[in-house]
Amino acid sequence: MSVITTVEQLEALYGLPGETPLVKELDHVIPEYAAFIEASPFAALATSGPEGLDCSPRGDLAGFVRIHDPKTLMMPDRRGNNRADSLKNIIRDPRVGLFFLVPGCGTTLRVNGRAHITTDAALRASFSVDDKPARSVTIIDIDSVYFQCARAIVRSELWNPARHVDPKSLPTPGKILEITSRKGIDGEAYDREWPERAKKSMW
């Protein structure tokens, strides 16, 4: 197997980017990019730290990532499993990447920047849902923002209902936990109780 070990080898294989992949990248949010952020109910947050890389899902009501100004985004953190992998990473390495998806749309939006975490009470309260404030808010100072063309979404048919997978055909979270815990966790009980647990801790 041939392994590419230099940038020169890679460029020889792929060539150099044309004008459009370069001019779309900016260091601030323009109204056209704001439209995608405000319409997105889901983003993947990529971080790096001493323990390694992390890419975590972030989901909320559409527009949950707030555009504070053209150079600054604010993202609430809700209740979860308390691993806080991405937040731990941010404390030690502020570099982050965000990847926004908009249901039904092939175009995605990417943001790279540097982040810090705040527990300012007024700011947390401003992100309240059902009277529950955010646990913390991640402030992202933007280094670059650009759209990604729709090729990957089109190829994957991500939004095509006919291609959606029946969840019943996949292992349940309880089944996985039962195996990974060597039966220390009752998988059936976990799956049975999860909907009610999730309802109580959604926000």
Side-chain angles (χ1 to χ4, degrees):
M1 181 175 65
S2 297
V3 178
I4 293 176
T5 58
T6 68
V7 173
E8 290 75 19
Q9 290 174 320
L10 188 66
E11 290 178 344
L13 178 64
Y14 283 91
L16 297 175
E19 180 184 16
T20 54
L22 300 177
V23 299
K24 66 184 179 182
E25 183 174 350
L26 302 174
D27 65 356
H28 63 283
V29 176
I30 58 176
E32 290 74 13
Y33 285 166
F36 286 91
I37 296 172
E38 291 166 351
S40 175
F42 179 88
L45 172 65
T47 60
S48 176
E51 286 81 30
L53 304 176
D54 183 70
C55 187
S56 297
R58 292 291 187 270
D60 218 317
L61 303 176
F64 72 102
V65 175
R66 182 181 300 169
I67 303 169
H68 178 66
D69 61 48
K71 290 284 292 180
T72 312
L73 301 180
M74 296 179 170
M75 181 170 60
D77 191 70
R78 307 290 184 192
R79 292 177 62 90
N81 58 18
N82 292 333
R83 282 185 56 126
D85 294 322
S86 56
L87 301 183
K88 291 175 184 175
N89 279 350
I90 287 171
I91 289 171
R92 290 161 307 173
D93 183 341
R95 295 175 299 169
V96 299
L98 273 175
F99 183 76
F100 290 94
L101 285 171
V102 179
C105 178
T107 301
T108 57
L109 192 74
R110 298 173 64 172
V111 174
N112 295 318
R114 296 171 187 274
H116 64 274
I117 303 161
T118 179
T119 56
D120 179 83
L123 187 57
R124 290 171 52 230
S126 74
F127 282 97
S128 292
V129 176
D130 291 343
D131 296 323
K132 296 179 181 178
R135 299 185 81 179
S136 65
V137 178
T138 300
I139 312 294
I140 301 164
D141 298 316
I142 295 171
D143 289 331
S144 64
V145 54
Y146 53 97
F147 76 88
Q148 189 81 33
C149 73
R151 287 189 184 91
I153 304 297
V154 171
R155 290 186 191 119
S156 67
E157 296 189 60
L158 183 63
W159 307 125
N160 180 359
R163 306 288 289 183
H164 288 181
V165 175
D166 182 356
K168 293 179 181 178
S169 70
L170 300 172
T172 66
K175 178 65 173 178
I176 295 170
L177 286 170
E178 185 170 296
I179 292 172
T180 58
S181 69
R182 295 181 175 86
K183 297 191 175 181
I185 293 175
D186 183 333
E188 289 186 5
Y190 181 92
D191 289 334
R192 185 171 58 252
E193 296 164 3
W194 187 86
E196 190 60 32
R197 256 196 334 269
K199 190 187 303 181
K200 292 178 181 178
S201 63
M202 185 64 69
W203 306 110

